Amino acid sequence: MPPHILLCGAPRQFPNYESALVRAGAVVRFPGAGDGACDGLLLPGGGDLDPSLYGEAPVSCRNVDSARDQRELVLCRRFFAAEKPVLGICRGLQVINVALGGTLRQEVAGHGQTAAGLDGLHPTLARSGGFLGQLYGRRFTVNTAHHQAAGRLGKGLRVEQWAEDGVAECLSHQSLPIYAVQWHPERLREGGKRWDTVDGGRLMAWFVSQCG
């Protein structure tokens, strides 16, 4: 039976994520009655978190939605407590880090989209022996479309992948099935938008397999 994965958002709000999960073999569910029965949680990209959540004043924040922050933090902690798999993508990585007591860097240079509004690209290095390195090898290229990043790591998290400037591109928890990437696997290859990077569908399929 395919795993049911909760996608934080409304139906058709995040079509790239929905399509990527379906292609990976999941049944996509949305927050509401009975979402606690889902086998995994996916936190999608979006605007910045309210910096008061990690004890800072706003310096460089865009599109803050405090109601969304609270909804996603509640869901995070519910799935953490149940020890069910969680995957955060871009903003989702930042939500996970803050949910576990970490902080964010409110502005990082060189990681945003191009002037034409396309994802940037950069090479990365994966941790030896980590799950991401097993999927893609130690050195590989991903897309980039963010201006904030993880600062101090949340409790139990470790860096699985980093960019050449040291920005964390993937985190995982040392004892719980919690994973997060700062890049956008839902926009790589399986969506037909980038053919000069790794195939993001492999990561999505791996995550779905963890929920089965």
Side-chain angles (χ1 to χ4, degrees):
M1 185 174 180
H4 288 227
I5 295 181
L6 184 66
L7 173 59
C8 288
R12 296 177 295 281
Q13 183 180 3
F14 298 110
N16 285 345
Y17 297 90
E18 287 188 58
S19 297
L21 285 170
V22 169
R23 278 191 293 270
V27 174
V28 181
R29 301 269 299 274
F30 300 94
D35 58 27
C38 288
D39 304 297
L41 172 67
L42 190 145
L43 300 157
D48 298 336
L49 277 75
D50 183 341
S52 68
L53 293 169
Y54 49 92
E56 294 185 10
V59 175
S60 180
C61 292
R62 309 169 190 168
N63 304 315
V64 173
D65 183 343
S66 296
R68 179 181 175 182
D69 294 345
Q70 293 302 324
R71 289 193 300 270
E72 294 187 351
L73 288 169
V74 167
L75 284 170
C76 261
R77 290 164 179 149
R78 183 188 303 168
F79 275 75
F80 294 170
E83 299 187 3
K84 292 182 177 181
V86 178
L87 175 64
I89 294 176
C90 199
R91 167 193 161 91
L93 176 147
Q94 297 164 17
V95 172
I96 286 171
N97 196 49
V98 169
L100 291 168
T103 63
L104 301 180
R105 295 171 59 183
Q106 293 191 46
E107 190 67 49
V108 293
H111 287 258
Q113 292 184 315
T114 69
L118 302 174
D119 289 352
L121 295 177
H122 58 63
T124 64
L125 181 68
R127 181 175 70 87
S128 179
F131 81 95
L132 205 62
Q134 293 173 16
L135 284 173
Y136 296 120
R138 290 214 64 201
R139 298 179 184 275
F140 54 94
T141 297
V142 297
N143 56 355
T144 183
H146 63 102
H147 79 106
Q148 297 195 336
R152 185 186 72 243
L153 294 186
K155 185 176 180 181
L157 292 175
R158 63 186 167 197
V159 178
E160 290 280 351
Q161 174 198 20
W162 53 94
E164 291 181 321
D165 60 2
V167 169
E169 293 289 333
C170 177
L171 304 176
S172 72
H173 197 276
Q174 297 181 56
S175 59
L176 296 172
I178 300 170
Y179 315 98
V181 290
Q182 191 60 68
W183 41 286
H184 284 272
E186 81 285 357
R187 296 208 289 255
L188 298 184
R189 288 210 179 176
E190 74 273 22
K193 295 186 178 180
R194 299 278 357 178
W195 292 91
D196 43 3
T197 67
V198 294
D199 182 357
R202 292 172 64 186
L203 174 60
M204 301 299 285
W206 179 87
F207 175 67
V208 170
S209 75
Q210 302 306 298
C211 301

